[in-house]
mmCIF file of all heavy atoms in Angstrom:
data_model
loop_
_atom_site.group_PDB
_atom_site.id
_atom_site.type_symbol
_atom_site.label_atom_id
_atom_site.label_comp_id
_atom_site.label_asym_id
_atom_site.label_seq_id
_atom_site.Cartn_x
_atom_site.Cartn_y
_atom_site.Cartn_z
ATOM 1 N N LEU A 166 -131.001 -154.648 69.568
ATOM 2 C CA LEU A 166 -131.881 -155.490 68.767
ATOM 3 C C LEU A 166 -131.099 -156.215 67.675
ATOM 4 O O LEU A 166 -131.347 -157.392 67.396
ATOM 5 C CB LEU A 166 -132.972 -154.626 68.133
ATOM 6 C CG LEU A 166 -133.875 -155.314 67.099
ATOM 7 C CD1 LEU A 166 -134.692 -156.418 67.765
ATOM 8 C CD2 LEU A 166 -134.790 -154.293 66.426
ATOM 9 N N ALA A 167 -130.138 -155.525 67.076
ATOM 10 C CA ALA A 167 -129.384 -156.083 65.955
ATOM 11 C C ALA A 167 -128.628 -157.347 66.339
ATOM 12 O O ALA A 167 -128.379 -158.209 65.492
ATOM 13 C CB ALA A 167 -128.410 -155.039 65.413
ATOM 14 N N ALA A 168 -128.265 -157.468 67.613
ATOM 15 C CA ALA A 168 -127.514 -158.650 68.053
ATOM 16 C C ALA A 168 -128.330 -159.923 67.907
ATOM 17 O O ALA A 168 -127.765 -161.013 67.831
ATOM 18 C CB ALA A 168 -127.073 -158.471 69.501
ATOM 19 N N PHE A 169 -129.649 -159.786 67.849
ATOM 20 C CA PHE A 169 -130.521 -160.955 67.749
ATOM 21 C C PHE A 169 -131.024 -161.190 66.324
ATOM 22 O O PHE A 169 -131.813 -162.102 66.084
ATOM 23 C CB PHE A 169 -131.721 -160.785 68.690
ATOM 24 C CG PHE A 169 -131.331 -160.603 70.133
ATOM 25 C CD1 PHE A 169 -131.216 -159.333 70.670
ATOM 26 C CD2 PHE A 169 -131.061 -161.690 70.941
ATOM 27 C CE1 PHE A 169 -130.853 -159.151 71.997
ATOM 28 C CE2 PHE A 169 -130.696 -161.526 72.270
ATOM 29 C CZ PHE A 169 -130.584 -160.258 72.801
ATOM 30 N N LEU A 170 -130.567 -160.357 65.394
ATOM 31 C CA LEU A 170 -131.008 -160.481 64.006
ATOM 32 C C LEU A 170 -130.018 -161.293 63.186
ATOM 33 O O LEU A 170 -128.817 -161.316 63.492
ATOM 34 C CB LEU A 170 -131.151 -159.087 63.377
ATOM 35 C CG LEU A 170 -132.190 -158.152 63.989
ATOM 36 C CD1 LEU A 170 -132.134 -156.797 63.295
ATOM 37 C CD2 LEU A 170 -133.590 -158.743 63.895
ATOM 38 N N PRO A 171 -130.473 -161.945 62.122
ATOM 39 C CA PRO A 171 -129.547 -162.588 61.186
ATOM 40 C C PRO A 171 -128.626 -161.538 60.562
ATOM 41 O O PRO A 171 -128.964 -160.348 60.511
ATOM 42 C CB PRO A 171 -130.480 -163.203 60.129
ATOM 43 C CG PRO A 171 -131.817 -163.274 60.790
ATOM 44 C CD PRO A 171 -131.879 -162.137 61.765
ATOM 45 N N ASP A 172 -127.462 -161.984 60.093
ATOM 46 C CA ASP A 172 -126.479 -161.050 59.555
ATOM 47 C C ASP A 172 -127.057 -160.161 58.460
ATOM 48 O O ASP A 172 -126.768 -158.960 58.405
ATOM 49 C CB ASP A 172 -125.265 -161.810 59.011
ATOM 50 C CG ASP A 172 -124.426 -162.410 60.127
ATOM 51 O OD1 ASP A 172 -124.612 -161.994 61.287
ATOM 52 O OD2 ASP A 172 -123.591 -163.296 59.846
ATOM 53 N N ARG A 173 -127.864 -160.740 57.573
ATOM 54 C CA ARG A 173 -128.412 -159.957 56.473
ATOM 55 C C ARG A 173 -129.307 -158.833 56.982
ATOM 56 O O ARG A 173 -129.212 -157.678 56.540
ATOM 57 C CB ARG A 173 -129.203 -160.868 55.528
ATOM 58 C CG ARG A 173 -129.723 -160.164 54.288
ATOM 59 C CD ARG A 173 -130.358 -161.149 53.319
ATOM 60 N NE ARG A 173 -130.832 -160.487 52.120
ATOM 61 C CZ ARG A 173 -131.406 -161.118 51.110
ATOM 62 N NH1 ARG A 173 -131.558 -162.452 51.164
ATOM 63 N NH2 ARG A 173 -131.820 -160.453 50.049
ATOM 64 N N ALA A 174 -130.171 -159.164 57.936
ATOM 65 C CA ALA A 174 -131.054 -158.148 58.518
ATOM 66 C C ALA A 174 -130.254 -157.119 59.314
ATOM 67 O O ALA A 174 -130.587 -155.930 59.324
ATOM 68 C CB ALA A 174 -132.090 -158.822 59.417
ATOM 69 N N TYR A 175 -129.186 -157.588 59.960
ATOM 70 C CA TYR A 175 -128.330 -156.682 60.739
ATOM 71 C C TYR A 175 -127.712 -155.612 59.848
ATOM 72 O O TYR A 175 -127.776 -154.414 60.157
ATOM 73 C CB TYR A 175 -127.233 -157.498 61.428
ATOM 74 C CG TYR A 175 -126.157 -156.664 62.086
ATOM 75 C CD1 TYR A 175 -126.368 -156.090 63.333
ATOM 76 C CD2 TYR A 175 -124.917 -156.463 61.467
ATOM 77 C CE1 TYR A 175 -125.382 -155.337 63.947
ATOM 78 C CE2 TYR A 175 -123.932 -155.713 62.076
ATOM 79 C CZ TYR A 175 -124.162 -155.148 63.309
ATOM 80 O OH TYR A 175 -123.187 -154.401 63.898
ATOM 81 N N TYR A 176 -127.118 -156.014 58.754
ATOM 82 C CA TYR A 176 -126.457 -155.052 57.868
ATOM 83 C C TYR A 176 -127.466 -154.159 57.160
ATOM 84 O O TYR A 176 -127.161 -153.004 56.845
ATOM 85 C CB TYR A 176 -125.582 -155.801 56.855
ATOM 86 C CG TYR A 176 -124.371 -156.438 57.496
ATOM 87 C CD1 TYR A 176 -124.211 -157.816 57.528
ATOM 88 C CD2 TYR A 176 -123.404 -155.647 58.114
ATOM 89 C CE1 TYR A 176 -123.108 -158.408 58.142
ATOM 90 C CE2 TYR A 176 -122.300 -156.223 58.733
ATOM 91 C CZ TYR A 176 -122.154 -157.601 58.741
ATOM 92 O OH TYR A 176 -121.073 -158.175 59.365
ATOM 93 N N THR A 177 -128.670 -154.672 56.939
ATOM 94 C CA THR A 177 -129.717 -153.828 56.367
ATOM 95 C C THR A 177 -130.107 -152.728 57.346
ATOM 96 O O THR A 177 -130.260 -151.556 56.967
ATOM 97 C CB THR A 177 -130.960 -154.676 56.026
ATOM 98 O OG1 THR A 177 -130.612 -155.658 55.054
ATOM 99 C CG2 THR A 177 -132.073 -153.783 55.471
ATOM 100 N N LEU A 178 -130.251 -153.103 58.620
ATOM 101 C CA LEU A 178 -130.593 -152.128 59.651
ATOM 102 C C LEU A 178 -129.513 -151.065 59.774
ATOM 103 O O LEU A 178 -129.806 -149.867 59.845
ATOM 104 C CB LEU A 178 -130.793 -152.839 60.991
ATOM 105 C CG LEU A 178 -131.138 -151.950 62.196
ATOM 106 C CD1 LEU A 178 -132.495 -151.296 61.988
ATOM 107 C CD2 LEU A 178 -131.150 -152.762 63.490
ATOM 108 N N MET A 179 -128.250 -151.483 59.783
ATOM 109 C CA MET A 179 -127.154 -150.535 59.915
ATOM 110 C C MET A 179 -127.027 -149.630 58.693
ATOM 111 O O MET A 179 -126.586 -148.484 58.792
ATOM 112 C CB MET A 179 -125.839 -151.298 60.135
ATOM 113 C CG MET A 179 -125.740 -152.023 61.471
ATOM 114 S SD MET A 179 -125.888 -150.914 62.918
ATOM 115 C CE MET A 179 -127.597 -151.225 63.414
ATOM 116 N N ARG A 180 -127.448 -150.140 57.522
ATOM 117 C CA ARG A 180 -127.352 -149.346 56.301
ATOM 118 C C ARG A 180 -128.267 -148.120 56.364
ATOM 119 O O ARG A 180 -127.965 -147.075 55.804
ATOM 120 C CB ARG A 180 -127.708 -150.215 55.098
ATOM 121 C CG ARG A 180 -127.473 -149.536 53.747
ATOM 122 C CD ARG A 180 -127.874 -150.441 52.596
ATOM 123 N NE ARG A 180 -127.246 -151.751 52.723
ATOM 124 C CZ ARG A 180 -127.871 -152.907 52.513
ATOM 125 N NH1 ARG A 180 -129.162 -152.911 52.203
ATOM 126 N NH2 ARG A 180 -127.225 -154.054 52.631
ATOM 127 N N TYR A 181 -129.383 -148.272 57.058
ATOM 128 C CA TYR A 181 -130.348 -147.178 57.142
ATOM 129 C C TYR A 181 -130.191 -146.346 58.412
ATOM 130 O O TYR A 181 -131.048 -145.521 58.724
ATOM 131 C CB TYR A 181 -131.771 -147.733 57.058
ATOM 132 C CG TYR A 181 -132.111 -148.273 55.689
ATOM 133 C CD1 TYR A 181 -132.080 -149.641 55.438
ATOM 134 C CD2 TYR A 181 -132.444 -147.412 54.651
ATOM 135 C CE1 TYR A 181 -132.378 -150.144 54.181
ATOM 136 C CE2 TYR A 181 -132.737 -147.894 53.392
ATOM 137 C CZ TYR A 181 -132.710 -149.264 53.160
ATOM 138 O OH TYR A 181 -133.000 -149.755 51.915
ATOM 139 N N GLU A 182 -129.075 -146.569 59.106
ATOM 140 C CA GLU A 182 -128.849 -145.840 60.357
ATOM 141 C C GLU A 182 -128.804 -144.341 60.138
ATOM 142 O O GLU A 182 -129.264 -143.566 60.977
ATOM 143 C CB GLU A 182 -127.542 -146.310 61.009
ATOM 144 C CG GLU A 182 -127.272 -145.686 62.364
ATOM 145 C CD GLU A 182 -126.048 -146.275 63.034
ATOM 146 O OE1 GLU A 182 -125.239 -146.923 62.331
ATOM 147 O OE2 GLU A 182 -125.893 -146.099 64.243
ATOM 148 N N ARG A 183 -128.264 -143.912 59.006
ATOM 149 C CA ARG A 183 -128.120 -142.482 58.735
ATOM 150 C C ARG A 183 -129.469 -141.761 58.663
ATOM 151 O O ARG A 183 -129.555 -140.552 58.870
ATOM 152 C CB ARG A 183 -127.364 -142.265 57.420
ATOM 153 C CG ARG A 183 -128.156 -142.630 56.180
ATOM 154 C CD ARG A 183 -127.355 -142.520 54.908
ATOM 155 N NE ARG A 183 -126.378 -143.586 54.816
ATOM 156 C CZ ARG A 183 -125.575 -143.754 53.764
ATOM 157 N NH1 ARG A 183 -125.630 -142.911 52.742
ATOM 158 N NH2 ARG A 183 -124.721 -144.758 53.738
#
Side-chain angles (χ1 to χ4, degrees):
L166 172 65
F169 301 95
L170 297 177
D172 289 344
R173 185 173 181 179
Y175 171 80
Y176 290 115
T177 298
L178 179 65
M179 292 301 102
R180 187 181 308 137
Y181 290 101
E182 184 174 17
R183 71 185 72 177

